[in-house]
Amino acid sequence: MKKCYTANTDQSLNKRYVVVSYTLFTLKYMLVVCISLSYCFYSTQVICQEAILHISNGATDKEYCLVYNSLWTNLSLSLSAATAYPLVNLSSRLLCSSAGVSPAIVRGKAVVVMRGGCNFSQKAEIAQDLGAAALIVASTKPMSPPGANVTEYEKVQIPLALMRYMDFLDAQNVFGEEMQVRLYAPAVPVFDASIVVMLLIGVVTVALGGYWSGACERERLRASRGGGGRGGEEKSDSGDLALYSPLKVVIFVGLMCLMLVLMYFFYKYLVYVIIAIFCLASATALFSCLDALLDLAKCSPMRVLLKKMKKINLVLYFIGRWIWILQDLLGVAFCLNFLKTISLSNFKICVILLSLLLLYDVFFVFITPLFMPNGESIMVQVALGPDAAGEKGNTVEVPAEPSTPYEKLPVVMRVPRFSAWTQNLCGMQFSILGYGDIIVPGLLVAYCSRFDVWVNSPKKIYLFCCCIAYLCGMVLTFAVMLVTKMGQPALLYLVPFTLLGSALLAWRRGEMRQFWNGTTYEVRGQDTFP
């Protein structure tokens, strides 16, 4: 898959230069943001905090989200093992006292009351004294597992859970007043198939991006050799950008740190800026990828349609911004175009950049919780958004409305957890992989692919070896994540695997000096860039 710019007419070059200049402008700023979110996060499993309320009237069945405290309430693990209770609607009451409530009405039944007026333990004790079999508290506020002290835990023997008030109103519209309810909390499997999908997305994107970068390098070398002094001009027109100065790499990482901190403090404002930049950059990237595919298939009449699709793509993202498949498609296109466009000039730059980003990743994931007032990681907070409290630790917070109050940053790959049925009722749970976990090691993979071209490696041994190292690093990342049940900074594993793997191969083949120094071809024409 390649689309490289060689001999063209002046008019064609001018048009391409406009597109490339626009792409460079967006990529230069998106680069700081997307790589800064190099955090591989798999939604932390909070065992027995979210449950299911199954409602039936004999003809219709429907399920709703519940939040409960597993230390306080034991629920069945399956629907078949759960006890069915008739439901009594007392949502007009707070149940802070038993006045006006007849025990005969609630005895042996599940009771729905409104949240507020008194604490949960008081409501539960009153319901238990009246003979209720279970207590459901309808909430108009974000829901967290109800808490109490140890003595109150011992007093309450009936199930206690919270549900959204809007869910209860929906149940009334569907079932009326005749409802049978069952409360149960199915166990969440440790392993989820979304991990495999995320692994495939990462590996395939890195491999294709590296291959595309090498293919374009081969085409540029042919053009340079065939056109004499045109090599530098061709490179300038192609719009590629190389990082070749250690000082620029250090400045670049410093800007990333600054951007991440700004996102932490001003998330609700800057998130819309990032979304706008992502739409523009991903639309250009998708156009570039499809253009390359059509060029490979020699379907030049489709170019006009592609230009229209580029505009449609922007509209689609805003219309279906919750559609994770579209976001992942745009993300893959963005990463592929990034790896083709941005290059590292030698292995020394690769070592400096990847090592600094590894330190950056570890610092903002593991070190910042030590001195932040609320003990949270800056990286996790920015990657998941301010409203993702239920995904960050051992507590759950479910919004009163199913929609999130904050937009999410689009610079992550998202795959829903297929087996987390309970959690998905309360709010869709995703496995996410930051673009930085693809782009950062992908830049090294792309360099290895270009080095294969420079040394004329027929089997693309450097590209293949670096992709295998990336795969091993990702597998180890997910393995540690499953064992610890915590999100992991993927660069902690990817950087050592890819750097050491490619360095050992170069040393074994006796090409370490050439691999370390790279080539000066990459920096030709850089002064002409804005």
Side-chain angles (χ1 to χ4, degrees):
M1 179 177 62
K2 61 177 184 281
K3 176 63 182 175
C4 309
Y5 305 101
T6 56
N8 293 288
T9 63
D10 291 339
Q11 182 179 5
S12 177
L13 284 174
N14 288 336
K15 290 181 179 179
R16 291 182 188 278
Y17 183 78
V18 171
V19 175
V20 167
S21 297
Y22 166 74
T23 306
L24 275 175
F25 177 80
T26 55
L27 286 180
K28 283 179 181 178
Y29 291 93
M30 271 300 297
L31 181 67
V32 176
V33 179
C34 74
I35 296 184
S36 67
L37 295 177
S38 53
Y39 182 75
C40 174
F41 181 86
Y42 179 74
S43 300
T44 304
Q45 296 175 13
V46 184
I47 305 301
C48 296
Q49 298 293 318
E50 296 166 322
I52 296 176
L53 176 66
H54 180 91
I55 302 181
S56 173
N57 61 1
T60 306
D61 297 277
K62 195 168 182 179
E63 294 183 331
Y64 298 93
C65 166
L66 290 178
V67 174
Y68 78 113
N69 190 325
S70 59
L71 298 176
W72 201 339
T73 303
N74 292 320
L75 295 181
S76 302
L77 297 177
S78 64
L79 176 62
S80 59
T83 303
Y85 305 107
L87 186 68
V88 177
N89 179 13
L90 296 181
S91 59
S92 59
R93 298 176 178 271
L94 298 176
L95 202 64
C96 291
S97 70
S98 59
V101 181
S102 171
I105 298 177
V106 301
R107 182 175 293 112
K109 301 176 182 178
V111 180
V112 176
V113 299
M114 287 302 297
R115 180 177 182 175
C118 54
N119 57 42
F120 295 115
S121 60
Q122 184 176 346
K123 294 177 185 290
E125 288 182 38
I126 294 173
Q128 182 174 273
D129 293 341
L130 290 171
L135 176 64
I136 301 174
V137 180
S139 177
T140 58
K141 303 176 181 179
M143 302 183 299
S144 299
N149 57 45
V150 177
T151 57
E152 291 174 329
Y153 285 153
E154 296 173 351
K155 293 179 181 178
V156 177
Q157 303 298 321
I158 63 173
L160 166 65
L162 279 71
M163 73 178 297
R164 299 186 185 104
Y165 180 61
M166 63 170 299
D167 286 346
F168 180 68
L169 294 179
D170 178 75
Q172 283 187 307
N173 291 332
V174 174
F175 299 100
E177 296 297 329
E178 298 295 327
M179 290 182 269
Q180 292 281 331
V181 300
R182 297 187 185 189
L183 290 71
Y184 70 104
V188 179
V190 175
F191 179 83
D192 189 86
S194 61
I195 294 179
V196 178
V197 177
M198 194 64 71
L199 182 65
L200 289 175
I201 291 176
V203 174
V204 171
T205 303
V206 164
L208 287 178
Y211 178 81
W212 194 7
S213 179
C216 286
E217 181 67 17
R218 184 181 299 107
E219 195 71 20
R220 283 194 293 267
L221 287 176
R222 288 175 182 171
S224 178
R225 291 165 184 167
R230 286 282 294 173
E233 182 180 347
E234 290 294 346
K235 185 160 185 64
S236 177
D237 286 335
S238 71
D240 287 358
L241 183 65
L243 292 176
Y244 58 90
S245 168
L247 178 59
K248 287 187 177 181
V249 171
V250 174
I251 294 175
F252 167 70
V253 176
L255 289 175
M256 286 172 47
C257 297
L258 176 62
M259 187 64 191
L260 185 62
V261 172
L262 289 176
M263 284 296 302
Y264 177 77
F265 288 105
F266 304 103
Y267 182 94
K268 63 180 180 180
Y269 304 110
L270 292 179
V271 65
Y272 296 102
V273 177
I274 302 304
I275 289 176
I277 295 175
F278 174 77
C279 288
L280 297 174
S282 61
T284 302
L286 185 60
F287 175 83
S288 178
C289 292
L290 294 178
D291 190 35
L293 287 174
L294 291 178
D295 182 72
L296 191 64
K298 303 190 183 301
C299 299
S300 55
M302 297 292 290
R303 295 280 155 68
V304 175
L305 178 61
L306 264 183
K307 293 178 180 178
K308 294 182 179 179
M309 287 179 61
K310 180 179 175 182
K311 298 177 182 178
I312 296 173
N313 177 61
L314 295 176
V315 178
L316 283 177
Y317 183 78
F318 282 105
I319 293 177
R321 61 186 182 275
W322 305 113
I323 304 178
W324 61 272
I325 296 177
L326 176 60
Q327 179 175 327
D328 288 352
L329 175 64
L330 297 178
V332 169
F334 175 79
C335 292
L336 288 176
N337 193 62
F338 193 103
L339 296 178
K340 190 268 296 187
T341 305
I342 309 296
S343 61
L344 305 181
S345 59
N346 53 59
F347 188 62
K348 178 177 69 174
I349 295 298
C350 294
V351 172
I352 295 173
L353 178 62
L354 269 65
S355 299
L356 287 177
L357 290 177
L358 171 59
L359 295 175
Y360 156 89
D361 209 22
V362 172
F363 175 79
F364 281 104
V365 173
F366 291 127
I367 307 301
T368 53
L370 300 179
F371 58 82
M372 294 301 293
N374 50 4
E376 65 186 8
S377 164
I378 289 181
M379 182 79 75
V380 179
Q381 181 75 7
V382 174
L384 298 179
D387 62 307
E391 299 176 352
K392 297 173 189 172
N394 293 323
T395 61
V396 174
E397 183 174 81
V398 177
E401 302 289 336
S403 59
T404 175
Y406 291 98
E407 291 286 355
K408 299 287 188 179
L409 282 176
V411 290
V412 292
M413 302 293 183
R414 302 167 65 88
V415 177
R417 293 173 58 192
F418 303 117
S419 61
W421 173 244
T422 307
Q423 287 77 6
N424 287 340
L425 273 178
C426 298
M428 186 66 73
Q429 301 292 303
F430 290 93
S431 298
I432 69 173
L433 182 69
Y435 288 179
D437 297 330
I438 297 175
I439 290 175
V440 174
L443 290 172
L444 176 58
V445 173
Y447 173 74
C448 289
S449 180
R450 294 195 306 276
F451 190 77
D452 278 327
V453 175
W454 299 335
V455 299
N456 197 25
S457 172
K459 296 183 179 180
K460 306 185 185 303
I461 184 65
Y462 283 92
L463 172 63
F464 179 77
C465 177
C466 205
C467 287
I468 294 299
Y470 179 83
L471 173 62
C472 294
M474 285 291 288
V475 170
L476 180 60
T477 301
F478 286 122
V480 174
M481 180 188 62
L482 292 175
V483 171
T484 62
K485 297 181 180 179
M486 292 177 61
Q488 297 296 313
L491 292 186
L492 181 62
Y493 310 96
L494 295 175
V495 169
F497 268 89
T498 52
L499 283 179
L500 292 177
S502 54
L504 287 174
L505 177 64
W507 173 78
R508 182 68 178 82
R509 290 171 58 89
E511 298 170 337
M512 189 61 195
R513 181 181 296 274
Q514 189 177 357
F515 189 65
W516 178 264
N517 294 325
T519 174
T520 58
Y521 174 79
E522 287 292 319
V523 302
R524 228 182 283 173
Q526 292 300 319
D527 293 337
T528 63
F529 286 96

